[in-house]
C-alpha cells in the first residue's frame, strides 16, 4: 500500500534571519541572441540551455535544542545565488521530518534528465554507524532509538538524484558542534561525537563538506558560516571550474578560521562543471554613425540604462511604453526591483521594501503571479546591467508561487515579511472554519474566517481583495490563495472553487495531482482517501470488495495522518465532488480501547491475519506494532513489557521513511494512544 506524506516546505522569513548577501544581477539575452552565443561555446563549458535543479535546506530554529544563528541566512543567500546562476531552486527552511523527506523526494523527481542537480544543507547532522543523518527542526532525540524516527538519511538524497541528472552536487554545511549527541547514550561507539563520515561519490557526483570527516565546523560570528560565506564569494565567479572553486573555498575557510576548519570534498566528476561559464557576449552591430565608441553603459544614467535593457527585453513594445516604464522605476524610492515577463511582453516592479533582497524576491514572485510565467530580473535599485554585459536572461521560477500544500505563513509569495498580512497569516491555520484567503500580485492578502459556508468564505475573501481601495482595480484580478487550510494558488482561481466532475479534478483540489495517475493504475477493488488539511492521501487496492477497500483506505489514512479522512473515490466512482466539505470518517477501529481481538485488528486484508492470530496465542510480556504504509504488522515477546514493545517496533520499522505504532501491549489495544516509542 502506498502513502503520500504531507507536502510542507516551511519557509521562515523572520526579520532576524533576513538575507544580507551582496546582490549581483544576472540579466540574459532573448532568443535570437541566445542562438548566436551558443555557436562559440566550448563543449567543456555549461550551456545556457542546461536545466539546473536545486534543493536548498536551512535549519536554524530547532524545537528541542538551542537555535543556530546562521543556517537560514546561509540557505536564503545560497538560494538567491543559485537562482541567479540559472538553477530552478526549491527552498526549505526549518522543515519538519515529513516536509524534508517530501522535498528530497521531489528533488529526485525534478532531477530526471536534468543537466545538473544540487543539494545544499545547513544545520545539524549526525553520523551513526557510518550513516550520515540530517536533523530536521522537529527532531526530538532523547536516545539512539529515536534516530530512525526523527532524522533523515543523507543516502536518500544520493539515491534520489544519482543517475537521474548528468552531474550531481552536494554541499553539506552541517558539521557544527552538535547538542543532540549529548542526549545519546554515553560511551556508544556507533555515534560520532563530531562531524560526519566520508562518503564515496558515484560517477558524476561531487560531495563537499564544510570541514574534514570527523571534524567540527563553525557556525560563524557574522551573517554566514565560514563555509557558506566562502561559497558565496566564489560560486558566481565566471570561468572557474567547480573543483578549482572548491580549492579557493578551502583556502578562504582555512585562513578565516586560523587553520581550525578545512573543507573537504569527494569528487567522481567525469567532466568539467562551471557554475558560471565564460560565454562571450553577443556581437554588437556595426555603428551607423560616429558615436563615441568608448562610451559605456556605466556612463549612462540609470534611466538610459534601463531603457536600453527594456528595449531588448520588450522588442514588440513601442518606445513610449519603454521610456515611461523606465522613468517610473527610476523615480520610485528604494528598495526596488524591476522584472520583465517576456511572453506577456510586459513589466512588473516593486518599491519600498526593507532590503534589496526583499525587493528582488517580491518582484519575481509578483510578476509570476500576475502574468503566469517565470519572469526575468532586469534591475535592483540602481543596478541596471546592459544587455551586452550578460549572455542570456534567466527566467526565474519562484517556488512559493508554485507551492500547493498545507497553509504556511512562510510560503506566501510577494508579501512584506513583517507586514500586516504576514502577521495575520500566522493565526490563519488555527482560525475557525469555514475560511479562505485571496491574494493579489501586489503582495496584498485578504482573509475570511468563521464564515457560514466555504463558498461564502471564498466569495468574501475575493471580494475584499478585488475591492481593495488602495489598488482601485489596477493590475488585474485577485486569486484564491487558500481554501480552508489548503494552498490552491497554482490553480489560478479568480472565483470560488467548483465541485469536481472527475476523480482527477477532486484529487487536484486537495492533494498531489499525480495521485490521480497512480490511482488509475491500481487493481480493483480499490479506494482513495484524503486528509484535506495536510493534503496527504492513502489508497487501498486488491480488496475482496469495494466496501472492504473503502474501509481499509479510511483506516490507513486516519492512522497515517492522525485525523479522520475523506473518501474521494471507490473503484472508478467519484464519491466526494468537493473534498473540502465532504464527510470525514472517524474510524472506530482507531478509537477502540479494550481487549485484543485478532479478527477486529485493522488492515488484516494485506496479509496480516497470521501475525494477528498468532499474537493472540503469545504469552505476555508481548506487543504488536502496525504500520499504515504497506500495511505491515509485527509482534514480539520479551522479558519485560518495555523489551517486547521495543522489539515489536524494531521489527516493524524496517523502512525508516515510515513510522510504526504500537497497536497492542499484552492483551490490551492501545492504538488510540498513537505511541511510536517503547515504554522507558
Amino acid at each position: 500500500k502506498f502513502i503520500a506524506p504531507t507536502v510542507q516546505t516551511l519557509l521562515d522569513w523572520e526579520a532576524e534571519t533576513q538575507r544580507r548577501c551582496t546582490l549581483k544581477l544576472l540579466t540574459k539575452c532573448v532568443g535570437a541572441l541566445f542562438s548566436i552565443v551558443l555557436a562559440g561555446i566550448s563543449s567543456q563549458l555549461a550551456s545556457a540551455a542546461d536545466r539546473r535543479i536545486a534543493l536548498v535546506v536551512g535549519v536554524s530554529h530547532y524545537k528541542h535544542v538551542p537555535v543556530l544563528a546562521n543556517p537560514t541566512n546561509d540557505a536564503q543567500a545560497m538560494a538567491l545565488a543559485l537562482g541567479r546562476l540559472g538553477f530552478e531552486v526549491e527552498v526549505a527552511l526549518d522543515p519538519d521530518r515529513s516536509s524534508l523527506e517530501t522535498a528530497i523526494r521531489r528533488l529526485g523527481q525534478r532531477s530526471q534528465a536534468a543537466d545538473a542537480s544540487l543539494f545544499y544543507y545547513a544545520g545539524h547532522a549526525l553520523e551513526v554507524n557510518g550513516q550520515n543523518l540530517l536533523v530536521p527542526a522537529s527532531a526530538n532525540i532523547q536516545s539512539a532509538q529515536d534516530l530512525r524516527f526523527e532524522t533523515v538519511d543523507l543516502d536518500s538524497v544520493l539515491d534520489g538524484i544519482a543517475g537521474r541528472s548528468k552531474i550531481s552536487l552536494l554541499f553539506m554545511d552541517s558539521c557544527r558542534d552538535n547538542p543532540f549527541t549529548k542526549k545519546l547514550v554515553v560511551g556508544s561507539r556507533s555515534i560520532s561525537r563530531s562531524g560526519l563520515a566520508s562518503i564515496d561519490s558515484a560517477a558524476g557526483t561531487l560531495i563537499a563538506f564544510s570541514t574534514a570527516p570527523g571534524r567540527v565546523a563553525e557556525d560563524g560570528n557574522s551573517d554566514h558560516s565560514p563555509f557558506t560565506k566562502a561559497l558565496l564569494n566564489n560560486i558566481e565567479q565566471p570561468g572557474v571550474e567547480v573543483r578549482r572553486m572548491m580549492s579557493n573555498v578551502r583556502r578562504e575557510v582555512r585562513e578565516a578560521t586560523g587553520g581550525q576548519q578545512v573543507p573537504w570534498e569527494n569528487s567522481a566528476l567525469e567532466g568539467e562543471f562551471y557554475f558560471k561559464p565564460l560565454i562571450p557576449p553577443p556581437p554588437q552591430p556595426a555603428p551607423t554613425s560616429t558615436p563615441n565608441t568608448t562610451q559605456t553603459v556605466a556612463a549612462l544614467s540609470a534611466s538610459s540604462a534601463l531603457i536600453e535593457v527594456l528595449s531588448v527585453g520588450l522588442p514588440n513594445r513601442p518606445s513610449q511604453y519603454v521610456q515611461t516604464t523606465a522613468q517610473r522605476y527610476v523615480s520610485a524610492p528604494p528598495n526596488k526591483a524591476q522584472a520583465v515577463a517576456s511572453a506577456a511582453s510586459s513589466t512588473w516592479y516593486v518599491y519600498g521594501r526593507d532590503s534589496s533582497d526583499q525587493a528582488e524576491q517580491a518582484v519575481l514572485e509578483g510578476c509570476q503571479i500576475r502574468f503566469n510565467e517565470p519572469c526575468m530580473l532586469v534591475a535592483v535599485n540602481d543596478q541596471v546591467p546592459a544587455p551586452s554585459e550578460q549572455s542570456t536572461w534567466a527566467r526565474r521560477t519562484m517556488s512559493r508561487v508554485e507551492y500547493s500544500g498545507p497553509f504556511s505563513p512562510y510560503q506566501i509569495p510577494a508579501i512584506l515579511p513583517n507586514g500586516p498580512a504576514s502577521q495575520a497569516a500566522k493565526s490563519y491555520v488555527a482560525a475557525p472554519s469555514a475560511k479562505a484567503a485571496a491574494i493579489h500580485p501586489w503582495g496584498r492578502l485578504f482573509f475570511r474566517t468563521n464564515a457560514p459556508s466555504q463558498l461564502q468564505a471564498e466569495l468574501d475573501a475575493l471580494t475584499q481583495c478585488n475591492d481593495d481601495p488602495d489598488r482601485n482595480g489596477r493590475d488585474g484580478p485577485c486569486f484564491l490563495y487558500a481554501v480552508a487550510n489548503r494552498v490552491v494558488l497554482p490553480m489560478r482561481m479568480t472565483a470560488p472553487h467548483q465541485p469536481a466532475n472527475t476523480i482527477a479534478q477532486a484529487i487536484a483540489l486537495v492533494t498531489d495531482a499525480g495521485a490521480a495517475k497512480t490511482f488509475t493504475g491500481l487493481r480493483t477493488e480499490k479506494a482513495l482517501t484524503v486528509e484535506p488539511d495536510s493534503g496527504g492521501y492513502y489508497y487501498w487496492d486488491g480488496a475482496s470488495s469495494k466496501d472492504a477497500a473503502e474501509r481499509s483506505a479510511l483506516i490507513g489514512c486516519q492512522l497515517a495522518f492522525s485525523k479522520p479522512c475523506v473518501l474521494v473515490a471507490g473503484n472508478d466512482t467519484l464519491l466526494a465532488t468537493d473534498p473540502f466539505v465532504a464527510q470525514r470518517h472517524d474510524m472506530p477501529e482507531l478509537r477502540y480501547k479494550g481487549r485484543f481481538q485478532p479478527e477486529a485488528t485493522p488492515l488484516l486484508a494485506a496479509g496480516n491475519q497470521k501475525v494477528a492470530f498468532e499474537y493472540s496465542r503469545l504469552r505476555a510480556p508481548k506487543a504488536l506494532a502496525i504500520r499504515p504504509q504497506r500495511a505491515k504488522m509485527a509482534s514480539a515477546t520479551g522479558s519485560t513489557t518495555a523489551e517486547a514493545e521495543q522489539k515489536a517496533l524494531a521489527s516493524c520499522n524496517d523502512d525508516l521513511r515510515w513510522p510504526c505504532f504500537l497497536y497492542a501491549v499484552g492483551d490490551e489495544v492501545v492504538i488510540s494512544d498513537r505511541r511510536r516509542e517503547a515504554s522507558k
Side-chain angles (χ1 to χ4, degrees), residues 349-609:
Y349 83 115
V350 300
Y351 60 88
R353 298 288 168 150
D354 291 339
S355 68
S356 59
D357 288 338
Q358 281 190 25
E360 175 183 341
Q361 178 100 2
V363 76
L364 289 169
E365 291 178 336
C367 185
Q368 186 170 335
I369 296 171
R370 174 70 177 89
F371 300 110
N372 196 26
E373 62 172 288
C375 297
M376 302 179 293
L377 184 69
V378 298
V380 174
N381 285 334
D382 294 328
Q383 300 182 52
V384 189
S388 60
E389 292 182 5
Q390 300 292 341
S391 61
T392 57
W393 278 1
R395 290 163 178 80
R396 299 264 297 276
T397 300
M398 306 307 289
S399 61
R400 296 201 298 181
V401 178
E402 297 188 336
Y403 172 77
S404 62
F407 184 95
S408 166
Y410 311 118
Q411 286 284 29
I412 304 171
I415 68 172
L416 289 166
N418 295 300
S422 178
Q423 297 303 316
K426 293 178 180 178
S427 61
Y428 177 80
V429 171
S433 295
K435 57 187 175 182
I439 194 170
H440 186 269
W442 276 21
R444 301 290 181 92
L445 195 66
F446 295 82
F447 302 96
R448 174 65 161 103
T449 61
N450 200 24
S453 69
Q454 186 59 47
L455 173 63
Q456 192 63 52
E458 295 169 28
L459 278 171
D460 290 350
L462 285 167
T463 300
Q464 290 178 59
C465 186
N466 285 314
D467 291 348
D468 180 5
D470 292 338
R471 192 168 57 81
N472 196 25
R474 287 177 290 173
D475 293 323
C478 293
F479 298 95
L480 200 59
Y481 181 76
V483 176
N485 285 332
R486 177 79 180 175
V487 176
V488 296
L489 179 60
M491 301 180 73
R492 297 185 63 79
M493 291 185 285
T494 57
H497 82 276
Q498 297 296 311
N501 294 316
T502 66
I503 294 174
Q505 291 174 356
I507 288 172
L509 279 174
V510 289
T511 190
D512 182 4
K517 183 178 180 181
T518 300
F519 186 67
T520 299
L522 297 179
R523 303 167 295 169
T524 57
E525 308 286 335
K526 61 183 179 180
L528 178 73
T529 53
V530 171
E531 198 289 290
D533 291 337
S534 66
Y537 69 88
Y538 188 98
Y539 62 73
W540 194 279
D541 68 338
S544 58
S545 67
K546 176 173 170 288
D547 289 344
E550 292 174 359
R551 190 163 197 85
S552 294
L554 286 167
I555 291 171
C557 183
Q558 185 170 339
L559 180 58
F561 300 112
S562 306
K563 293 181 179 180
C565 295
V566 171
L567 182 61
V568 176
N571 286 338
D572 296 323
T573 302
L574 175 62
L575 301 176
T577 57
D578 191 343
F580 289 113
V581 298
Q583 178 186 359
R584 301 194 183 200
H585 299 265
D586 192 358
M587 305 307 289
E589 291 89 340
L590 302 180
R591 303 293 184 190
Y592 174 72
K593 291 184 178 181
R595 192 166 183 80
F596 176 79
Q597 303 174 47
E599 66 279 1
T601 308
L603 310 185
L604 288 178
N608 293 309
Q609 295 93 337

Side-chain angles (χ1 to χ4, degrees), residues 62-295:
Y62 283 93
K63 294 182 178 179
H64 301 285
V65 295
V67 169
L68 282 172
N70 285 328
T72 53
N73 293 339
D74 295 339
Q76 290 165 0
M78 280 296 298
L80 284 176
L82 292 170
R84 292 191 290 267
L85 292 166
F87 281 81
E88 300 172 23
V89 184
E90 178 176 348
V91 183
L93 299 188
D94 296 335
D96 61 15
R97 183 176 185 261
S98 175
S99 57
L100 178 57
E101 287 178 327
T102 301
I104 291 171
R105 187 180 302 114
R106 199 158 47 236
L107 173 66
Q109 296 166 348
R110 295 163 60 224
S111 297
Q112 189 68 42
D115 294 276
S117 56
L118 183 147
F119 177 76
Y120 170 91
Y121 178 85
H124 283 311
L126 294 164
E127 185 258 304
V128 181
N129 285 329
Q131 282 185 302
N132 292 317
L133 305 174
L134 309 180
V135 184
S138 58
N140 185 10
I141 301 173
Q142 302 295 330
S143 67
Q145 286 71 33
D146 295 330
L147 293 172
R148 69 166 63 230
F149 306 112
E150 303 290 341
T151 64
V152 176
D153 194 339
L154 180 59
D155 285 344
S156 65
V157 181
L158 293 168
D159 293 342
I161 62 179
R164 298 196 179 198
S165 57
K166 295 178 182 178
I167 291 174
S168 302
L169 307 167
L170 280 78
F171 293 88
M172 299 293 298
D173 195 357
S174 55
C175 304
R176 296 161 169 86
D177 188 22
N178 201 320
F180 288 103
T181 59
K182 299 175 184 178
K183 298 186 177 184
L184 301 177
V185 180
V186 176
S188 172
R189 292 175 295 173
S190 64
I191 301 170
S192 172
R193 291 295 188 262
S194 59
L196 299 177
S198 61
I199 302 175
D200 292 330
S201 298
T205 302
L206 179 142
I207 305 171
F209 288 88
S210 54
T211 192
R215 301 295 298 274
V216 173
E218 296 183 14
D219 192 41
N221 297 318
S222 64
D223 291 338
H224 300 297
S225 75
F227 179 66
T228 295
K229 183 176 181 181
L231 272 179
L232 293 170
N233 290 342
N234 288 275
I235 200 169
E236 294 183 82
Q237 295 299 316
V240 180
E241 204 274 333
V242 64
R243 283 160 290 198
R244 175 63 183 274
M245 183 200 78
M246 285 306 304
S247 177
N248 296 338
V249 168
R250 186 161 38 251
R251 181 183 65 254
E252 189 171 321
V253 173
R254 179 179 54 78
E255 293 174 352
T257 61
Q260 296 301 305
Q261 181 178 336
V262 181
W264 165 89
E265 74 267 4
N266 189 352
S267 172
L269 296 181
E270 296 178 342
E272 295 184 331
F273 178 78
Y274 295 79
F275 279 100
K276 188 174 183 179
L278 280 175
I279 303 177
Q284 299 299 304
T288 56
S289 58
T290 57
N292 180 1
T293 56
T294 63
Q295 184 182 35

